[in-house]
Amino acid sequence: MDSLLSHMPPHEGLLPQWLLFVCCPPDSFSQLLITYKDKQIAVTSAGNSIQSYLTLTYTRQVYLGSGATGNKSPATPLSSRTFGTWTFLSAVIRYFGAYYIDDPVVYTIVMWSYVIALFHFASEWLIFGSARMGKGLLGPAIVSTCSLFWMYTQKAFYLGV
């Protein structure tokens, strides 16, 4: 346990630990919690990204489709691999945010990663109709909204502005 704690972000507050925690894509909270307790955070992130390269299963849970798509998932192998790449890039950004949360540039980049995620998922749901509210979309929506709000309210604490 001491070994794990020595690798935690060296900053006050819970936000850096949260950013490290959500380096795992917020696609499956039960898997995320088990992984967190087993201390395999980075492995899960890479595993979920690799999963997107190997199967459409998770991508189709997020992009279920709607009446606009005949209730059929519009996910393709290419879109799944793109989603996996985007998920891994988001994890890398949030990982650096956890350790360099007092750097204004890094803080801003992490905040923008949540804005982009929120916009993407909301537009796929509300504008393009490729996603429906359900377990696949609910996790990313909650994590991106809450994280963005949390970071906005804590900006002065971490950046001194």
Side-chain angles (χ1 to χ4, degrees):
M1 184 65 160
D2 289 336
S3 175
L4 174 66
L5 292 177
S6 70
H7 296 289
M8 295 300 283
H11 302 283
E12 292 183 42
L14 295 176
L15 185 56
Q17 283 75 20
W18 172 252
L19 293 175
L20 184 63
F21 181 71
V22 294
C23 283
C24 312
D27 50 357
S28 170
F29 281 111
S30 60
Q31 183 179 1
L32 195 61
L33 291 172
I34 291 169
T35 303
Y36 180 71
K37 290 179 182 174
D38 288 344
K39 306 164 195 80
Q40 298 172 0
I41 294 170
V43 173
T44 299
S45 179
N48 285 330
S49 294
I50 291 168
Q51 174 190 354
S52 294
Y53 279 84
L54 302 176
T55 180
L56 292 171
T57 303
Y58 170 66
T59 307
R60 285 188 172 152
Q61 288 178 5
V62 175
Y63 304 100
L64 290 171
S66 66
T69 63
N71 290 324
K72 183 178 179 212
S73 174
T76 65
L78 175 60
S79 67
S80 185
R81 292 188 304 270
T82 302
F83 186 73
T85 302
W86 178 57
T87 299
F88 190 73
L89 178 59
S90 296
V92 170
I93 289 169
R94 292 163 191 166
Y95 176 85
F96 279 95
Y99 287 95
Y100 299 98
I101 199 163
D102 54 352
D103 182 312
V105 173
V106 174
Y107 200 94
T108 301
I109 291 170
V110 174
M111 283 188 73
W112 272 105
S113 78
Y114 285 117
V115 169
I116 292 166
L118 183 59
F119 176 79
H120 169 75
F121 290 115
S123 66
E124 292 300 328
W125 175 38
L126 299 170
I127 298 170
F128 302 112
S130 62
R132 284 185 298 210
M133 190 50 70
K135 72 177 184 176
L137 185 60
L138 192 58
I142 290 171
V143 169
S144 61
T145 303
C146 293
S147 298
L148 185 58
F149 177 77
W150 193 0
M151 289 191 74
Y152 178 77
T153 61
Q154 295 299 304
K155 188 173 183 177
F157 177 77
Y158 289 104
L159 300 182
V161 294

